[in-house]
Every structure is written in structure tokens, then in C-alpha cells.
Amino acid sequence: MKKKLFCMALFAVSVIHHAQVGIQTPTPQNTLHVNGTLQVVKDLNVGGDSRTKGNSGNKGEFLMSNGTGNTPVWRNIESENFLKVIFVGNKTDISPSSGSYTGTGTNPVSTHESYSQTYIYNVSNKIDTAYLTYNSSNGIFTVVKPGFYNIVPYITYDLSLNGNGYTAGTANSYIQKVSPSTVSLAAISTGHGERTLGINHNLSSISFFNAGETFRIRCRYTQSFRLSSGNIHISYLTP
């Protein structure tokens, strides 16, 4: 018992003398220097003073440095003004599963909305429903949280079922706002020669949406066509 008291007294004198505590280090570089792992079972409080408890933050927040000598602060992702990925989808099938969609037959294809088809992602790898929802039966995205959305789809067409003399034409892909009114947000149009068996399109759009507004990915071609594998990622631009 005397030995324990002596060690405690010696430790207290050392702390007072150096004003620093080292755990598994004889040369602490800060008020508390831990040379090893640290396990926090409950709150991690930052800030405060001798009379006030520090802040333990809110669920989902992260701790950010404010620089040397300043109290770190808890922040949420949306406060840092960057893109938050909220949807990742893939198309791993081919549609229609048999046969082809009917092409417009004539140019310009931009005048033939009735021949357009919606590109539907049959696999949703990630979706944050606090921002948007996705209907995999009709390919419609519905915005839940207003703000700027970065929409980046990769689209492929399959023309292999067309015979000789029936593959040359023009392909048109676009990101289309559906409601409150139909508006093309981004589009690409490419011309292709005879015996083109596959087409690849990349699109990108950063557009503002209000809650309840909808959008989709649309495709059309001069000749008959099928829609094959592709992917999409959608990000929310934080304020």
C-alpha cells in the first residue's frame, strides 16, 4: 500500500512539474500524449472549458480541425460544399429482351419523341432516399430534396439484329426533366455508318431540381435498336 501511495505521489509530482502526461512514453509532447491505441466507449467532447462540458456533435457528423491552438468542430457533409454520391445504378440486361425497338426511320431524330425509349437501370447499387427515389419499372427519378444534382449516365445501344443496309443512322441520347414540364437538360447526337453494331454515349448535367420534380434518361435511333449495358451515378451538390 505504501508503495502504491509513493508511486501515485511521484506521478503527481511529475505531472505538476512537467504539466504533461505521457502514456507509454517518457517524453510527452502534449498535455496528454498517448503512445498507443485509444478507445472511446461513449461521447467524445470537444470545446468547453473548466465549467462547461464540450460538444459531442450529432449523429453523422465528423470532427474537423480548426488549426493549431483552435478547438476542432463537428461538421456535417452538407456544410462542406462538395458532391455527395446518392445513386449508383447499372443496366446489366438488354431491352427489349427479344426483338428491337422501332427506329425513327427518318432524320432529324430530334423530332421523333414518340420513338424514344427510357433507359432503365435494373440494378441499384446505392440509393439515398433522403435525396431521391427511383422507379425501376419506368426509369423515373423523383427528387426528394431540392438542390443541384450532377447526373452522369453511360449508355450503350446494340444494333446487331439489323441486317445489311440497316445500321447506318443517327443516335440521340439525353437527360430529360419530365415534370413539371419536359425539358432536355443534356443531349448528344452522333452519326454512324453502315455495319455499326454498337454505340456508346456519355452524358453529364448539373441542374437544379425542386422537390417532386422528375427526370429520366432517354434514347432513340434512326434504325431499329436495343438498349444494352450501362451505368449511372448521381451526386448532390451540397450548399
Side-chain angles (χ1 to χ4, degrees):
M1 183 65 181
K2 289 182 179 180
K3 185 177 181 181
K4 289 183 178 179
L5 290 174
F6 175 75
C7 290
M8 291 174 64
L10 185 62
F11 176 76
V13 171
S14 176
V15 170
I16 293 171
H17 178 71
H18 295 288
Q20 292 176 320
V21 176
I23 299 177
Q24 294 192 28
T25 176
T27 56
Q29 302 301 305
N30 282 292
T31 306
L32 176 62
H33 184 163
V34 180
N35 180 20
T37 59
L38 176 66
Q39 179 173 328
V40 179
V41 177
K42 293 187 178 180
D43 289 351
L44 176 62
N45 301 100
V46 297
D49 52 35
S50 59
R51 296 174 178 268
T52 307
K53 183 179 179 180
N55 183 4
S56 60
N58 298 309
K59 182 178 179 181
E61 292 182 331
F62 60 90
L63 194 60
M64 187 178 79
S65 172
N66 256 337
T68 304
N70 298 312
T71 303
V73 293
W74 295 102
R75 292 288 179 87
N76 57 47
I77 290 176
E78 292 185 355
S79 68
E80 299 311 303
N81 194 24
F82 62 91
L83 292 174
K84 172 183 171 64
V85 177
I86 56 173
F87 184 86
V88 178
N90 284 88
K91 180 176 175 58
T92 61
D93 59 3
I94 191 164
S95 55
S97 56
S98 61
S100 299
Y101 293 122
T102 302
T104 64
T106 58
N107 287 308
V109 294
S110 59
T111 63
H112 298 280
E113 175 63 25
S114 59
Y115 289 94
S116 298
Q117 301 295 331
T118 300
Y119 200 83
I120 296 178
Y121 301 92
N122 60 299
V123 178
S124 294
N125 306 100
K126 174 182 179 178
I127 182 167
D128 190 332
T129 55
Y131 292 83
L132 55 70
T133 60
Y134 181 62
N135 187 329
S136 60
S137 63
N138 61 15
I140 296 291
F141 293 91
T142 301
V143 172
V144 174
K145 183 172 183 175
F148 284 93
Y149 286 78
N150 183 32
I151 308 164
V152 184
Y154 170 70
I155 301 161
T156 68
Y157 295 69
D158 184 295
L159 311 177
S160 62
L161 295 185
N162 292 329
N164 290 333
Y166 292 94
T167 57
T170 304
N172 185 216
S173 303
Y174 49 109
I175 302 169
Q176 182 186 67
K177 180 184 283 188
V178 181
S179 67
S181 60
T182 303
V183 178
S184 179
L185 304 176
I188 182 172
S189 181
T190 57
H192 302 275
E194 176 57 22
R195 301 319 301 154
T196 299
L197 301 182
I199 299 169
N200 307 316
H201 278 173
N202 286 289
L203 285 165
S204 178
S205 169
I206 296 181
S207 303
F208 183 85
F209 290 89
N210 291 303
E213 292 184 339
T214 60
F215 62 90
R216 62 188 175 185
I217 310 303
R218 296 283 273 177
C219 308
R220 55 178 172 253
Y221 191 62
T222 308
Q223 309 288 359
S224 296
F225 64 97
R226 297 191 293 175
L227 295 174
S228 46
S229 61
N231 55 68
I232 188 173
H233 70 265
I234 301 173
S235 304
Y236 182 84
L237 181 61
T238 62

